[in-house]
Amino acid sequence: MASLPKRMKALRYEKPETFSVVEVDLPTVRDNDVLVRVKACGVCKTDLHIHEGEFITRFPLIPGHETVGEIAALGKDVKGFEVGQKVAADNSELCGECFYCRRGEVLLCENFESHGVTINGGFAEYCAYPAGKVFRFHNLSYIDATLLEPASCAAHGLDRIAPKMGSSVLMFGSGPTGMMLAQLLRQCGGCHVVIAAHKNPKMDVAKALAIGDSYVELSKEDPTPQLEKIKKENPYGFDVVVEATGAVSVLENAITYVRRGGKLVVYGVYNHASRVSWPPSKIFGDEITILGSFSETYKFPATIDYLDSGKVKVNGIVNRVFRIEQWAECLDAVRDESAIKAAISFE
């Protein structure tokens, strides 16, 4: 600890939409904490919601919930790690004592904390995490490793969906997390995965990585002809329909593609004010399951195995890298989708 600086550079929000690059004290390292020297931290559309004060955000805040780096220091009770090792951090901290934690449903923790969302995160030179939330990786670059956290959320989504072998899948959207969920679905029960999204750089990368079995490019002006074609070619619908765009209009319509006995997965991040209207008679009569998938718990080890080995491909997904001083430019790139996936680099 003696060789570490006392102050660090960080991006801090005082309130929604009000941010600056500041110098702050290094985080306190508790006895069971690992201090990570941040090398890179991913940026996703959730960060736009955080910027606007949506999601479950609390201010003041240092954002950044997709942190990777190297170990800089260890709390006195930490075992099994060494300074200098490459690690990724699970951003969640759970109380272990509330109603849901005591039932083993820890993701629903009533005192759920998340680095970069409710407590300080990785848009800083250093961040401290409980040792149980830090995981080693070996082969990925630091930039590509920023995808481990969203891929872990995809792995949790796979557990929630629990696809039967031979399932047909329709995914609306071709964003980074959706790309990884599609790959996991293809390897774990999804016999035929259709990707429906606007023609844009994300869709180009999705095709290059072969994340799906077929692709439908939707017109931004009027996607009706393409959507009707999907229904014509799949008259019984799909076992699993995943709405991964975060667009409430797409979510509302997505139920019409679900096969009787199928599942509709609410996988995007939506504004608090968003509402949908579905016919309960269809949900009842067709025995449709509607399920949500939020964040993850305990999925980092499996996710690292899939990404570090190359079984889930990530090349080209992170296409824009910024310094912390370029945060406004980074937000614009995420907002206008010139960034398929962005990252803040501290190297």
Side-chain angles (χ1 to χ4, degrees), residues 38 46 51 55 77 80 86 90 98 103 117 169 198 208 266 321:
V38 180
T46 300
H51 170 77
F55 203 43
D77 294 339
K86 294 169 67 175
D90 177 340
C98 71
R103 290 164 57 94
V117 182
V169 180
H198 296 309
V266 183
V321 179

Side-chain angles (χ1 to χ4, degrees), residues 91-210:
N91 60 58
S92 64
E93 293 202 26
L94 312 167
C95 76
E97 300 175 356
C98 71
F99 174 83
Y100 291 104
C101 284
R102 289 164 65 89
R103 290 164 57 94
E105 298 169 327
V106 293
L107 187 53
L108 306 179
C109 175
E110 293 176 285
N111 303 300
F112 181 90
E113 299 279 15
S114 173
H115 287 272
V117 182
T118 63
I119 54 179
N120 288 338
F123 290 164
E125 292 176 305
Y126 294 87
C127 193
Y129 298 88
K133 296 290 186 174
V134 174
F135 302 88
R136 293 185 63 194
F137 65 93
H138 303 280
N139 300 321
L140 293 165
S141 69
Y142 283 119
I143 294 299
D144 284 343
T146 61
L147 292 163
L148 286 168
E149 193 278 341
S152 295
C153 295
H156 172 71
L158 180 71
D159 284 352
R160 292 279 291 145
I161 296 166
K164 294 180 181 178
M165 186 175 181
S167 294
S168 60
V169 180
L170 171 63
M171 177 175 290
F172 287 106
S174 57
T177 312
M179 289 191 211
M180 289 175 282
L181 177 57
Q183 292 182 73
L184 290 170
L185 283 165
R186 287 187 77 200
Q187 296 183 44
C188 304
C191 183
H192 188 78
V193 177
V194 178
I195 309 298
H198 296 309
K199 178 171 175 53
N200 56 26
K202 292 179 183 179
M203 190 63 140
D204 294 339
V205 171
K207 289 181 178 179
L209 295 178

Side-chain angles (χ1 to χ4, degrees), residues 12-298:
R12 185 170 67 191
Y13 277 76
E14 299 302 328
K15 59 182 180 179
E17 302 183 352
T18 302
F19 60 86
S20 59
V21 176
V22 297
E23 273 205 356
V24 296
D25 291 340
L26 261 67
T28 300
V29 179
R30 298 164 293 189
D31 291 346
N32 200 43
D33 275 355
V34 171
L35 182 67
V36 176
R37 180 180 292 110
V38 180
K39 294 292 188 178
C41 191
V43 184
C44 72
K45 285 197 171 180
T46 300
D47 290 297
L48 289 180
H49 291 273
I50 291 168
H51 170 77
E52 294 163 357
E54 287 272 347
F55 203 43
I56 56 173
T57 312
R58 289 203 305 267
F59 297 96
L61 178 72
I62 297 172
H65 59 280
E66 301 172 356
T67 304
V68 297
E70 66 178 22
I71 295 176
L74 301 170
K76 71 179 184 65
D77 294 339
V78 175
K79 296 178 176 62
F81 290 105
E82 296 178 5
V83 171
Q85 290 175 329
K86 294 169 67 175
V87 292
D90 177 340
N91 60 58
S92 64
E93 293 202 26
L94 312 167
C95 76
E97 300 175 356
C98 71
F99 174 83
Y100 291 104
C101 284
R102 289 164 65 89
R103 290 164 57 94
E105 298 169 327
V106 293
L107 187 53
L108 306 179
C109 175
E110 293 176 285
N111 303 300
F112 181 90
E113 299 279 15
S114 173
H115 287 272
V117 182
T118 63
I119 54 179
N120 288 338
F123 290 164
E125 292 176 305
Y126 294 87
C127 193
Y129 298 88
K133 296 290 186 174
V134 174
F135 302 88
R136 293 185 63 194
F137 65 93
H138 303 280
N139 300 321
L140 293 165
S141 69
Y142 283 119
I143 294 299
D144 284 343
T146 61
L147 292 163
L148 286 168
E149 193 278 341
S152 295
C153 295
H156 172 71
L158 180 71
D159 284 352
R160 292 279 291 145
I161 296 166
K164 294 180 181 178
M165 186 175 181
S167 294
S168 60
V169 180
L170 171 63
M171 177 175 290
F172 287 106
S174 57
T177 312
M179 289 191 211
M180 289 175 282
L181 177 57
Q183 292 182 73
L184 290 170
L185 283 165
R186 287 187 77 200
Q187 296 183 44
C188 304
C191 183
H192 188 78
V193 177
V194 178
I195 309 298
H198 296 309
K199 178 171 175 53
N200 56 26
K202 292 179 183 179
M203 190 63 140
D204 294 339
V205 171
K207 289 181 178 179
L209 295 178
I211 71 161
D213 295 288
S214 60
Y215 307 86
V216 179
E217 294 186 344
L218 302 175
S219 167
K220 290 185 178 180
E221 289 73 31
D222 181 14
T224 303
Q226 297 90 46
L227 294 173
E228 289 179 349
K229 184 180 179 184
I230 293 174
K231 288 184 176 180
K232 183 177 180 180
E233 293 178 351
N234 302 273
Y236 285 96
F238 296 83
D239 296 300
V240 178
V241 176
V242 181
E243 200 304 294
T245 71
V248 69
S249 59
V250 178
L251 176 61
E252 190 162 74
N253 189 48
I255 197 169
T256 64
Y257 298 86
V258 182
R259 180 174 295 171
R260 298 189 73 189
K263 299 175 182 179
L264 173 59
V265 185
V266 183
Y267 195 63
V269 178
Y270 309 86
N271 291 328
H272 292 318
S274 296
R275 298 290 184 271
V276 293
S277 178
W278 288 315
S281 60
K282 179 175 178 60
I283 298 168
F284 168 73
D286 289 353
E287 294 201 338
I288 291 173
T289 300
I290 298 173
L291 59 90
S293 179
F294 163 71
S295 193
E296 60 78 36
T297 50
Y298 306 118

